[in-house]
Amino acid sequence: MTDWELERIRMKKYMEMLRKMENKGKGEERGVRKLVKVEVNDGNFEEEVIERSKDIPVVVDFWAEWCMPCLALAPVLEKLAKEYNGRFVLAKLNVDRNPQTASRYGIMSIPTVIMFKNGKPVDSFVGVMPEPMIREWLDRNL
Amino acid sequence: MYEVLIIGSGAAGLSAAIYSARYNLSTIVLGKDFGLASEAPIVENYPGIREIQGLKLIQEMQEQAKSLGAELILGEEVTRIKREKKYWLAETHSEKYLGKAVIIATGSRKRKLGIKGEEEFVGRGVSYCAICDAPFYRGKVVSVVGGGNSALTSAILLSEFAEKVYLIHRRTEFRAEPILVDRLMNLKKEGRVEMKLGYIPREIVGTDVVEYLHLKKVDEEGVEEKLKTEGIFVEIGEVPNSELARNLGLKLDEEGYILVKEDMSTNLEGVFAAGDVTTGSNKLKQIITACAEGAIAATSAYRYITRKYQ
């Protein structure tokens, strides 16, 4: 399976999830759709993560296509990013294509998730965690 | 309402889904990850496919199950299964799914060493997934702990990246297939792998990241060794993910595996189990046996539903 196909499947899942959540939210008051997810790379990490985190917490998901646990964690993070609706921004960083940033933060296992606030990493976790534990981690750090 | 709820999306769960969908049963697979097979760097003993990455094989199974009409919900952890009148209810953190029959295929997880420093250095040198993390150890010295197929496959994979691989195993012989042992011996001859047989890990030491692995000799009191290593890959077997099954009231054996009969039925009517979590297939935990058990479980679920609801 090519990267493109994989991405397509992921996007399809993501879109399905968005639709599902939109249906759930019907009848409730919903605010303006906020930015919840960005793709980042070695080139724009400074601006998209470090600078942005001075205004709003940024949660960076260090992942790679060859890593199945990463693919299992991704939809959970994306769902939570959507649900928290702008209280943090989820940034996806592919460590395969962006080795500089991965090495700068000493990534040795993926998935690794790091929260940035005020330009600095404040907390992280490694591996797939169950959703309630990720919620707890977010609530503790936000 | 579904006819078949499948809990677990590894090789067993997906095979059950393929069979169940082909019996025209409405089928849903609820999975929190993709199972241990997906982390196998390379699979060379699944007949008909000479070699394939574990993750590719699992993705193919996912596509096959979906194309046959099974619904796949991934990244959703089932927190409880319970009886709901004559049906079965699976609850996740956000949803509830009702089914006429349930197939539990929750697999197993990697066993931990349980030594000092292990928890502390997860993500900073300690890893349970060689295929995920091997590229981070280019040109470094790494250690693999274990003597089964997973340990040897990991050591062989890591030897392509690392400068040197230590293989630490408590026995002097290997549980792994002889073909893997032969490959390992060749790597040993080339000086890319060094064996530490008859040793067990005692402590992991470092400041920011792993620096040393302390070993002790199994049968000689007081003989210890400090290995300088930057990565430690733990491959010492698996423990069954049978907590859901236990809470549901399924009978487990003394090691925690779900007791199944030949038809993959359990002590509860309408509840079946398949794959690494069961006592089936003589506990040979292979993709091929997981798939076979999935097929049998789906067939038994089909017979059960047909008998009970028609």
Side-chain angles (χ1 to χ4, degrees):
Chain A
M1 194 177 305
T2 62
D3 296 352
W4 180 81
E5 283 175 291
L6 201 64
E7 189 55 32
R8 194 170 52 90
I9 292 164
R10 277 163 32 79
M11 283 312 291
K12 201 177 141 211
K13 278 274 144 202
Y14 184 53
M15 294 310 288
E16 276 170 17
M17 205 152 57
L18 286 185
R19 266 200 303 277
K20 216 165 139 191
M21 297 194 56
E22 265 172 18
N23 287 339
K24 255 192 203 165
K26 263 180 195 153
E28 295 168 19
E29 268 197 24
R30 282 185 302 133
V32 181
R33 178 67 46 80
K34 303 227 174 79
L35 175 71
V36 294
K37 185 186 155 194
V38 285
E39 300 284 337
V40 299
N41 54 50
D42 281 347
N44 67 12
F45 195 84
E46 200 62 34
E47 179 192 345
E48 292 282 355
V49 175
I50 305 293
E51 284 308 310
R52 192 195 302 274
S53 76
K54 291 172 183 170
D55 298 325
I56 176 175
V58 180
V59 172
V60 185
D61 175 15
F62 294 84
W63 72 287
E65 277 132 10
W66 65 68
C67 160
M68 283 309 252
C70 299
L71 303 187
L73 180 67
V76 182
L77 289 176
E78 284 167 19
K79 173 180 151 186
L80 290 171
K82 191 75 184 45
E83 188 189 311
Y84 278 64
N85 192 26
R87 284 177 62 206
F88 70 89
V89 172
L90 176 65
K92 308 271 300 171
L93 183 109
N94 183 317
V95 297
D96 192 22
R97 294 188 205 129
N98 303 285
Q100 275 176 26
T101 308
S103 143
R104 180 173 161 195
Y105 290 99
I107 305 300
M108 297 168 86
S109 270
I110 46 173
T112 288
V113 177
I114 304 182
M115 183 179 298
F116 285 79
K117 279 165 96 173
N118 302 316
K120 291 192 186 73
V122 292
D123 201 1
S124 65
F125 67 86
V126 178
V128 181
M129 281 207 304
E131 191 188 314
M133 283 174 74
I134 302 177
R135 265 176 209 283
E136 218 174 84
W137 181 83
L138 286 169
D139 294 340
R140 194 166 64 236
N141 286 300
L142 285 175
Chain B
M1 166 72 113
Y2 293 87
E3 281 167 309
V4 182
L5 302 178
I6 298 172
I7 320 298
S9 48
L14 293 169
S15 301
I18 290 167
Y19 274 74
S20 174
R22 288 171 62 87
Y23 282 118
N24 279 339
L25 299 171
S26 60
T27 303
I28 189 165
V29 181
L30 304 166
K32 84 170 169 27
D33 54 27
F34 305 144
L36 286 186
S38 70
E39 293 177 17
I42 190 144
V43 176
E44 296 170 305
N45 53 10
Y46 192 78
I49 302 172
R50 205 164 298 175
E51 64 168 67
I52 189 168
Q53 276 180 21
L55 76 89
K56 287 234 168 71
L57 183 58
I58 292 294
Q59 283 171 332
E60 286 295 329
M61 290 184 195
Q62 287 177 355
E63 289 309 306
Q64 193 175 354
K66 276 196 271 188
S67 73
L68 289 164
E71 218 177 298
L72 252 64
I73 310 277
L74 300 176
E76 285 241 310
E77 187 183 7
V78 173
T79 51
R80 188 157 73 138
I81 307 167
K82 62 173 191 173
R83 190 184 278 283
E84 182 91 353
K85 292 180 184 136
K86 59 177 181 171
Y87 304 119
W88 299 97
L89 186 75
E91 298 176 357
T92 70
H93 301 297
S94 50
E95 298 277 346
K96 288 177 180 178
Y97 303 88
L98 200 60
K100 290 178 180 171
V102 55
I103 297 173
I104 299 179
T106 41
S108 54
R109 58 179 177 269
K110 300 255 173 92
R111 189 186 295 279
K112 303 209 161 150
L113 288 169
I115 59 170
K116 204 172 157 209
E118 182 180 19
E119 291 275 323
E120 185 188 344
F121 288 109
V122 169
R124 290 182 298 141
V126 174
S127 173
Y128 303 92
C129 180
I131 185 136
C132 303
D133 300 339
F136 298 117
Y137 293 88
R138 214 176 284 276
K140 297 183 175 174
V141 176
V142 302
S143 303
V144 175
V145 187
N149 281 352
S150 305
L152 268 62
T153 311
S154 297
I156 293 163
L157 172 81
L158 282 160
S159 74
E160 287 173 30
F161 294 88
E163 187 193 313
K164 183 177 186 175
V165 179
Y166 286 109
L167 187 84
I168 296 130
H169 183 38
R170 66 193 158 129
R171 298 186 212 283
T172 45
E173 64 285 344
F174 296 102
R175 254 179 307 127
E177 295 166 348
I179 190 170
L180 295 173
V181 178
D182 290 348
R183 273 184 225 165
L184 192 77
M185 290 306 168
N186 284 334
L187 290 167
K188 187 191 165 193
K189 269 184 220 148
E190 292 168 26
R192 290 156 71 190
V193 170
E194 185 179 331
M195 314 273 196
K196 288 283 172 196
L197 303 182
Y199 282 91
I200 52 170
R202 197 178 61 80
E203 188 181 347
I204 297 164
V205 178
T207 43
D208 275 350
V209 294
V210 169
E211 289 165 23
Y212 292 96
L213 175 60
H214 291 195
L215 304 178
K216 68 176 176 189
K217 197 100 179 167
V218 175
D219 51 9
E220 285 174 66
E221 201 63 40
V223 179
E224 302 210 349
E225 194 167 331
K226 270 190 191 176
L227 226 52
K228 190 157 175 51
T229 186
E230 291 166 278
I232 298 167
F233 290 82
V234 183
E235 292 290 353
I236 53 167
E238 295 86 31
V239 281
N241 293 321
S242 52
E243 292 78 6
L244 280 175
R246 185 191 303 269
N247 294 338
L248 175 62
L250 291 193
K251 284 193 181 140
L252 311 179
D253 77 354
E254 66 285 354
E255 289 178 289
Y257 292 90
I258 301 172
L259 283 163
V260 288
K261 298 188 194 84
E262 265 187 76
D263 63 353
M264 294 295 131
S265 61
T266 66
N267 58 304
L268 294 180
E269 203 197 17
V271 179
F272 304 87
D276 283 6
V277 74
T278 77
T279 55
S281 305
N282 208 17
K283 288 193 188 168
L284 180 66
K285 285 174 250 161
Q286 294 289 299
I287 298 171
I288 189 169
T289 49
C291 293
E293 290 185 23
I296 297 168
T299 304
S300 299
Y302 170 67
R303 288 189 184 141
Y304 164 78
I305 290 166
T306 313
R307 198 174 63 234
K308 185 147 177 147
Y309 293 91
Q310 281 173 8

